[in-house]
């Protein structure tokens, strides 16, 4: 079975993209074309977006239209089988490392909710509290607590409890899930994970043996309570689609490599770009700097303040210069953020036109962004207020979902 | 591209359905048709294409002398008093792909008619010679009711006869007796350039066995989706699925609200663009709110279930 090809770069100063580190080359922007080439995945073209619209009978999600979700592996196969009347399920996840979620964290969830509604398919969400425990050196209790807290924000994104199973590794591992982990682990050498994830001999064995945990939710037999029939048989041909940020690609490259060897189907992927920090593409969104991102707990005043003071502007230094030269849309963060969250294509085009030509000022663009973000945060806040402990328990209960494909 | 008369006749031959085809000059009415085939001693049909307020379509094939009262039919379908009317001419082409004066059950062979409901006069039951147009007005075919049933079955439809002249009282204690004939499926996308194949037949299973599962009591499941076969008139899909479909419910509420506003505002018609604008503003928020509602209700039920089991276990151990 041909392995997933990954071209080796060998250059010291090239960009680094893996689940634990994302750095551009030399303080530059991330080169996504190069990344696609390096990883060996496919670009998600306009034809696929149109096909999605046709098959789902509704406009494509703004993230698809704007190229936020821009790469894939075998997404066309998922569309093929869907067109034939077959089913698939969704799998996404979060490493619960902090209580505060910002918009960058929400992006895969907002998109996954759209996929769930548009295709009417079930979803499993993995909270890797064990991973964060190991990587961030927090206690097991704290990890588990953060997992539940994050689950509330995730639920607030609008997932359907009759189609969604949320689980945390500390709670769920065992049974068939663990059997699959062993199957996967048997197929991946130490050398391999060193190559894929950059592990060293100094890394503790918890980290080194973690990858199978994130791999096996791609296989329906890991969830017998969802996908097994009355005779306890699981249809191993049920395909899985994984929406994620592209830095997670290594996990699933490994998974796709292993899958056929253990008699399972390869999961398909649909991958997103990274969400830039307020200070610009070169800035880092970090938990230690609250001004680097907009958090779902920010008040309208916070949002206004952060955008006005910290959002990197591509506008010129003076109004005269700006009217003359227009804004640099490449580096302007407000326009970038609007391209993620402003649904109206025509309005966005108009803003880009006017701002790029200098007729619109930075202040106006920022004002519009503040409006859009405030509305999103408010909607999220309202939703989250309605998520009770019982609701989290219900989403996380190991229970069948009889209407998950309806 | 709709089926042609010849393609239809070929298909009937494939299905080994006996028929006789009579050619005649183009006719647009039953009376005109009767001039050419009336003497043959069979049953002429009058065929109507009807449409309800939610843009769902119905083909009614009745004996020529059966009285079809649209008001009564509308109530029996559960569409209210004035819910049913004759479909506009364009629909004949768009939905059935037949010319004017040519509505016929055979038009159901087209994919575009996939979600059209079919009501067949019980007067045709067990009859040897029924006359219908074969997708064009310049011919009439005569076939037995068993042949027609075979044809319908080949489309994945369950042949069902209706007493079209019956006038049962529809009210609180008497639910509409023809409610099952109201289509519930996703209408075929009317993009003539490309036919989107039917998505998601109403399948309710636990495991997505994609071939032969037979979950007792649930809707019958088809593995391969055949073109033109989607909704059957009598569907046994769990009604809660539609009732808990957040997007659908919000759409219905909004439509109801908009229509009520129109009715209240007797002065003049309110621009539909106003409603579109309002809808755009609030739909997402309403959907999120309703999803919260659905999740909350489920969670409360789930809690209750867990507690019920706990109580039952306690009672069991107490007794032992």
């Amino acid at each position: 079975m041909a392995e997933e090809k990954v071209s080796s770069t060998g250059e010291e100063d090239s960009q680094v993209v893996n689940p634990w580190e994302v750095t551009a080359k030399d303080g530059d922007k991330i080169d996504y074309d190069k990344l696609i080439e390096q990883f060996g995945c496919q670009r998600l073209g306009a034809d696929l977006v149109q096909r999605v619209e046709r098959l789902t009978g509704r406009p494509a999600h703004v993230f698809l239209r704007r190229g936020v979700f821009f790469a894939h592996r075998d997404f066309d196969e998922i569309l093929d089988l869907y067109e034939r009347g077959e089913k698939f399920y969704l799998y996404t996840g979060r490493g619960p490392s902090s209580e505060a979620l910002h918009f960058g964290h929400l992006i895969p969830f907002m998109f996954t909710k759209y996929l769930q509604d548009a295709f009417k398919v079930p979803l499993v969400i993995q909270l890797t509290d064990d991973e964060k425990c190991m990587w961030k050196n927090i206690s097991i209790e704290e990890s588990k607590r953060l997992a539940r807290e994050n689950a509330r924000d995730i639920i607030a994104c609008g997932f359907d409890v009759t189609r969604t199973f949320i689980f945390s590794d500390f709670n769920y591992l065992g049974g068939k899930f663990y059997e699959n982990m062993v199957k996967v682990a048997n197929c991946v050498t130490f050398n391999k994970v060193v190559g894929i994830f950059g592990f060293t001999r100094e890394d503790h064995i918890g980290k080194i043996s973690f990858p199978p945990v994130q791999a096996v939710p791609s296989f329906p037999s890991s969830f017998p309570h969802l996908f097994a029939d009355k005779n306890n048989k699981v249809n191993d041909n049920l395909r899985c689609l994984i929406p994620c940020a592209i830095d997670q690609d290594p996990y699933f490259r490994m998974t796709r490599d292993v899958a056929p060897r253990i008699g399972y189907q390869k999961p398909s992927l649909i991958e997103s770009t990274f969400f830039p920090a307020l200070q610009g593409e070169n800035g880092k969104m970090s938990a230690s700097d609250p001004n680097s991102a907009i958090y779902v707990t920010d008040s309208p005043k916070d949002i206004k303040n952060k955008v006005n003071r910290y959002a990197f502007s591509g506008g010129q230094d003076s109004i005269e210069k700006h009217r003359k030269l227009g804004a640099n849309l490449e580096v302007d963060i407000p326009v970038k953020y609007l391209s993620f969250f402003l649904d109206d294509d025509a309005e966005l085009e108009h803003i880009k036109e006017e701002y790029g030509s200098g007729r619109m000022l930075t202040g106006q663009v920022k004002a519009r962004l503040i409006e859009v973000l405030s509305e999103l945060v408010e909607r999220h806040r309202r939703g989250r207020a309605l998520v009770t402990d019982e609701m989290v328990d219900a989403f996380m209960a190991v229970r069948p979902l009889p209407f998950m494909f309806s | 591209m709709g089926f042609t008369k010849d393609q239809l006749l070929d298909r009937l031959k494939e299905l080994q359905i006996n028929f006789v085809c009579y050619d005649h000059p183009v006719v647009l009415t039953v009376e005109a048709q009767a001039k050419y085939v009336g003497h043959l001693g069979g049953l002429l049909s009058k065929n109507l294409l009807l449409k309800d307020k939610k843009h769902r379509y119905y083909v009614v094939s009745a004996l020529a002398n059966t009285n079809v009262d649209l008001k009564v039919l509308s109530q029996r379908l559960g569409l209210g008093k004035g819910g049913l009317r004759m479909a506009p001419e364009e629909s004949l082409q768009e939905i059935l792909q037949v010319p004017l004066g040519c509505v016929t059950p055979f038009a159901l062979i087209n994919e575009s008619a996939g979600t059209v409901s079919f009501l067949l006069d019980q007067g045709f039951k067990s009859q040897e010679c029924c006359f219908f147009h074969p997708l064009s007005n310049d011919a009439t075919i005569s076939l037995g009711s068993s042949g027609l049933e075979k044809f319908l079955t080949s489309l994945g439809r369950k042949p069902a006869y209706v007493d079209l002249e019956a006038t049962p009282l529809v009210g609180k204690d008497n639910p509409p007796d023809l409610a099952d004939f109201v289509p519930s499926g996703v209408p075929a996308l009317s993009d003539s350039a490309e036919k989107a194949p039917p998505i998601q037949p109403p399948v309710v299973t636990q495991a997505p066995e994609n071939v032969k599962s037979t979950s007792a009591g649930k809707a019958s499941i088809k593995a391969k989706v055949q073109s033109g076969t989607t909704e059957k008139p009598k569907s046994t899909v769990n009604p809660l699925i539609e009732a808990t479909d957040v997007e659908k419910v919000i759409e219905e509420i909004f439509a109801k609200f908009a229509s009520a506003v129109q009715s209240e505002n007797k002065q003049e018609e309110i621009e539909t663009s106003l409603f579109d604008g309002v809808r755009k503003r609030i739909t997402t928020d309403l959907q999120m709110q309703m999803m919260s509602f659905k999740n909350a209700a489920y969670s409360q039920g789930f809690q209750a279930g867990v507690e019920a089991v706990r109580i039952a276990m306690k009672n069991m151990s107490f007794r032992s």
Side-chain angles (χ1 to χ4, degrees):
Chain A
M1 187 78 218
E3 280 187 6
E4 299 284 336
K5 279 193 300 188
V6 178
S7 60
S8 54
T9 50
E11 303 135 51
E12 280 304 324
D13 57 340
S14 59
Q15 56 191 14
V16 177
V17 177
N18 67 47
W20 305 286
E21 188 185 347
V22 175
T23 2
K25 180 175 170 171
D26 265 350
D28 217 342
K29 280 181 13 170
I30 296 279
D31 185 342
Y32 288 107
D33 287 317
K34 204 148 185 213
L35 200 56
I36 289 186
E37 204 193 299
Q38 183 192 342
F39 281 177
C41 43
Q42 246 68 33
R43 227 183 217 282
L44 213 166
D47 53 321
L48 271 186
V49 175
Q50 273 161 28
R51 197 171 166 205
V52 169
E53 287 195 341
R54 189 168 52 80
L55 286 177
T56 56
R58 64 177 70 195
H61 191 269
V62 62
F63 292 163
L64 273 178
R65 283 182 275 137
R66 307 280 166 76
V68 173
F69 276 83
F70 73 114
H72 75 97
R73 291 185 190 274
D74 292 342
F75 181 51
D76 49 330
E77 279 184 28
I78 294 285
L79 295 181
D80 287 343
L81 70 86
Y82 183 79
E83 201 163 5
R84 288 197 296 272
E86 289 168 39
K87 311 292 184 183
F88 66 94
Y89 74 100
L90 296 164
Y91 155 41
T92 192
R94 166 157 171 80
S97 53
S98 61
E99 205 160 329
L101 259 75
H102 56 61
F103 272 103
H105 296 136
L106 286 189
I107 284 170
F109 292 110
M110 290 164 78
F111 188 64
T112 304
K113 174 198 155 59
Y114 150 78
L115 289 174
Q116 180 176 69
D117 291 343
F119 288 98
K120 300 215 179 329
V121 286
L123 162 67
V124 302
I125 301 180
Q126 178 182 42
L127 297 170
T128 56
D129 41 7
D130 51 348
E131 181 209 359
K132 287 311 167 190
C133 191
M134 291 190 274
W135 261 268
K136 301 281 178 166
N137 267 315
I138 45 184
S139 76
I140 293 183
E141 286 318 308
E142 181 61 3
S143 290
K144 285 162 97 170
R145 188 190 71 81
L146 288 176
R148 268 188 82 95
E149 279 307 305
N150 283 184
R152 287 173 191 263
D153 280 294
I154 291 171
I155 291 171
C157 291
F159 292 108
D160 185 337
V161 69
T162 62
R163 283 189 226 277
T164 307
F165 173 54
I166 302 181
F167 66 101
S168 85
D169 290 340
F170 278 132
N171 279 343
Y172 187 68
L173 252 58
K176 290 288 177 200
F177 192 95
Y178 182 63
E179 287 178 22
N180 281 338
M181 277 171 56
V182 172
K183 283 188 187 176
V184 169
N186 266 346
C187 294
V188 184
T189 62
F190 177 60
N191 279 338
K192 203 74 195 292
V193 294
V194 164
I196 297 177
F197 300 107
F199 293 138
T200 67
R201 298 178 82 92
E202 272 65 52
D203 282 315
H204 57 69
I205 56 177
K207 288 190 182 179
I208 301 172
S209 47
F210 177 75
V213 176
Q214 191 158 324
V216 306
S218 328
F219 309 131
S221 54
S222 303
F223 304 103
H225 66 283
L226 296 179
F227 300 125
D229 61 12
K230 327 192 270 290
N231 303 319
N232 270 332
K233 264 205 80 207
V234 171
N235 175 14
D236 289 322
N237 285 327
L238 178 66
R239 299 291 295 272
C240 176
L241 174 65
I242 308 177
C244 60
I246 194 162
D247 63 344
Q248 302 296 311
D249 192 87
Y251 279 118
F252 305 114
R253 265 202 318 272
M254 177 199 79
T255 310
R256 285 168 58 90
D257 223 32
V258 170
R261 290 193 267 160
I262 53 179
Y264 289 151
Q265 292 283 348
K266 297 185 190 184
S268 298
L269 269 77
I270 182 166
E271 299 161 298
S272 69
T273 56
F274 304 112
F275 190 62
L278 270 175
Q279 289 87 345
E281 302 268 9
N282 315 329
K284 275 198 76 183
M285 256 192 311
S286 90
S288 51
D289 180 9
N291 292 321
S292 60
I294 308 284
Y295 288 86
V296 298
T297 43
D298 283 343
S299 67
K301 208 164 123 210
D302 290 330
I303 297 176
K304 186 166 178 192
N305 194 42
K306 285 188 187 179
V307 170
N308 279 330
R309 292 179 64 181
Y310 301 104
F312 186 82
S313 166
Q316 302 298 339
D317 305 327
S318 68
I319 294 190
E320 298 79 37
K321 205 168 164 202
H322 183 88
R323 297 271 188 221
K324 188 155 158 232
L325 299 172
N328 179 357
L329 297 180
E330 285 299 299
V331 303
D332 187 88
I333 285 296
V335 160
K336 243 272 131 82
Y337 274 32
L338 282 174
S339 77
F340 276 75
F341 298 117
L342 179 61
D343 198 79
D344 190 336
D345 287 335
E347 194 189 337
L348 181 69
E349 268 320 295
H350 176 82
I351 291 177
K352 280 178 162 174
E353 264 276 337
E354 299 296 288
Y355 190 45
S357 63
R359 286 186 291 272
M360 193 182 280
L361 301 179
T362 299
Q364 296 165 274
V365 181
K366 285 193 173 183
R368 185 66 181 117
L369 177 64
I370 291 168
E371 253 178 21
V372 169
L373 292 179
S374 301
E375 194 184 314
L376 284 174
V377 165
E378 181 52 29
R379 187 179 296 144
H380 186 93
R381 197 195 55 75
R382 271 202 305 269
R384 197 190 195 284
L386 296 174
V387 178
T388 58
D389 262 322
E390 288 78 31
M391 199 182 285
V392 176
D393 288 336
F395 268 91
M396 294 185 72
V398 176
R399 72 218 186 273
L401 299 175
F403 301 108
M404 57 183 172
F405 288 115
S406 309
Chain B
M1 259 298 292
F3 275 72
T4 64
K5 172 178 74 175
D6 293 323
Q7 286 171 329
L8 170 70
L9 299 186
D10 283 344
R11 174 65 67 85
L12 293 180
K13 287 190 201 123
E14 268 175 354
L15 293 169
Q16 300 190 319
I17 294 175
N18 293 328
F19 66 90
V20 184
C21 184
Y22 305 95
D23 291 317
H24 50 65
V26 167
V27 294
L28 292 177
T29 62
V30 177
E31 294 86 331
Q33 188 184 31
K35 277 201 275 222
Y36 298 106
V37 294
H39 61 286
L40 295 170
L43 295 172
L44 282 163
S45 61
K46 74 177 164 212
N47 300 272
L48 311 167
L49 178 63
L50 306 173
K51 175 179 165 175
D52 69 13
K53 288 193 172 148
K54 293 203 180 141
H55 309 292
R56 293 177 295 213
Y57 293 88
Y58 308 79
V59 167
V60 175
S61 291
L63 297 180
N65 47 19
T66 294
N67 179 33
V68 178
D69 187 332
L70 291 190
K71 288 199 285 289
V72 170
L73 211 51
S74 175
Q75 285 198 292
R76 288 175 72 189
L77 285 165
L79 302 172
K81 285 219 174 92
L84 213 55
R85 44 189 71 173
M86 301 286 288
E89 269 181 53
E90 313 85 70
S91 311
L92 271 92
Q93 215 20 260
E94 205 187 284
I95 309 286
L96 294 184
Q97 305 201 60
V98 293
L100 195 58
C102 194
V103 178
T104 164
F106 293 111
L108 298 172
I109 201 175
N110 287 311
E111 234 179 84
S112 53
T115 54
V116 175
S117 182
F118 180 51
L119 286 90
L120 182 59
D121 192 335
Q122 68 179 16
F124 285 112
K125 198 165 181 188
S126 312
Q127 291 298 323
E128 288 303 287
C129 186
C130 316
F131 291 129
F132 298 99
H133 280 305
L135 303 181
S136 73
N137 298 3
D138 60 357
T140 298
I141 57 175
S142 135
L143 81 170
S145 59
S146 52
L148 185 60
E149 285 171 27
K150 208 171 185 182
F151 170 77
L152 293 170
T153 314
S154 78
L155 297 180
R157 290 173 178 269
K158 198 152 159 265
Y161 293 92
V162 176
D163 181 354
L164 289 171
E165 285 191 314
T167 50
L169 208 62
V170 173
K172 207 166 56 142
D173 298 316
N174 300 312
D177 66 313
L178 297 180
D180 285 333
F181 282 87
V182 176
S184 60
V186 178
L189 296 174
S190 62
D191 182 0
S192 51
E194 32 188 2
K195 300 242 175 276
I199 307 160
Q200 311 226 282
V203 174
V204 182
T205 46
Q206 203 144 2
E209 301 271 329
N210 55 1
V211 192
K212 309 135 192 112
S213 66
T214 50
S215 317
K218 303 257 163 112
S220 61
I221 293 135
K222 316 187 270 293
K224 310 249 177 350
V225 178
Q226 278 142 35
S227 58
T229 67
T230 44
E231 312 303 312
K232 308 172 213 164
K234 275 203 158 32
S235 120
T236 47
V237 174
N238 190 322
L240 289 185
I241 294 173
E242 239 186 73
T244 51
D245 182 334
V246 164
E247 293 177 346
K248 206 173 206 152
V249 172
I250 295 292
E251 269 303 302
E252 287 179 10
I253 291 178
F254 195 85
K256 224 181 183 111
F257 184 81
S259 124
V261 171
Q262 286 282 24
S263 310
E264 273 297 304
N265 191 57
K266 296 172 184 82
Q267 268 83 353
E268 46 183 87
E269 278 274 308
I270 300 182
E271 286 279 327
T272 43
S273 59
L274 177 68
F275 289 119
D276 286 339
V278 171
R279 176 196 254 118
K280 226 170 128 193
R281 272 177 195 274
I282 62 173
T283 294
T284 310
D285 279 332
L286 287 184
Q287 284 175 350
M288 291 296 252
Q289 197 164 348
M290 179 143 283
M291 186 62 86
S292 291
F293 180 78
K294 180 178 177 180
N295 289 342
Y298 177 104
S299 304
Q300 289 168 333
F302 185 77
Q303 271 303 99
V306 168
E307 279 309 307
V309 170
R310 192 168 297 158
I311 291 172
M313 303 263 282
K314 215 164 67 162
N315 288 341
M316 274 190 339
S317 57
F318 182 68
R319 279 194 215 110
S320 64

